């Protein structure tokens, strides 16, 4: 199963309160049959600088989460906004 809409990324808008909560949410999703999960944090930047800052924070939190999930049973995690990665994943699945 693929979940295309989640707010699991810690530190972002209405995502989880901590990285530990995020990991537990991912483990629970895996146990319930989710194979792939797309992180979909909200972004409401007002100016270009805000977009850069948002992207830096999102990428930092994403990398922290990926590291915290190493060796754990969690779904494959895709970062929203990375359409090339999503398309690459779709191509790999069709092989």
């Amino acid at each position: 199963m693929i979940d295309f809409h989640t707010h699991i990324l810690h530190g972002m808008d209405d995502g989880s309160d901590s990285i530990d909560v995020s990991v537990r949410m991912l483990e629970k999703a895996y146990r319930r049959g989710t194979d792939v999960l797309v992180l979909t944090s909200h972004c409401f930047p007002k100016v270009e600088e805000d977009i850069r800052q948002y992207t830096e924070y999102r990428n930092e939190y994403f990398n922290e989460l990926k590291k915290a999930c190493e060796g754990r049973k969690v779904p494959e995690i895709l970062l929203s906004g990375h359409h090339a990665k999503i398309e690459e994943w779709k191509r790999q699945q069709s092989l």
Side-chain angles (χ1 to χ4, degrees), residues 32-63:
R32 291 185 172 184
T34 301
D35 302 309
V36 177
L37 192 135
V38 180
L39 302 176
T40 52
S41 301
H42 295 153
C43 178
F44 302 107
K46 293 182 177 137
V47 295
E48 186 176 321
E49 186 62 32
D50 288 344
I51 293 171
R52 279 192 223 118
Q53 185 178 30
Y54 165 83
T55 303
E56 288 173 10
Y57 285 141
R58 185 200 58 199
N59 291 344
E60 178 183 335
Y61 297 141
F62 177 69
N63 290 331

Side-chain angles (χ1 to χ4, degrees), residues 2 8 10 42 50 63 65 74 76 84 94:
I2 303 170
I8 289 178
H10 64 290
H42 295 153
D50 288 344
N63 290 331
L65 182 59
V74 299
E76 179 179 359
S94 66

Side-chain angles (χ1 to χ4, degrees), residues 82-93:
H82 285 236
H83 301 292
K85 287 186 178 185
I86 294 170
E87 289 303 315
E88 177 185 333
W89 177 83
K90 286 181 182 177
R91 277 193 299 279
Q92 290 174 351
Q93 296 305 306

Side-chain angles (χ1 to χ4, degrees), residues 6-19 21-22 25 39-42:
T6 66
H7 293 272
I8 289 178
L9 190 59
H10 64 290
M12 302 299 296
D13 61 73
D14 59 351
S16 76
D17 293 338
S18 70
I19 195 165
V21 171
S22 294
M25 292 168 77
L39 302 176
T40 52
S41 301
H42 295 153

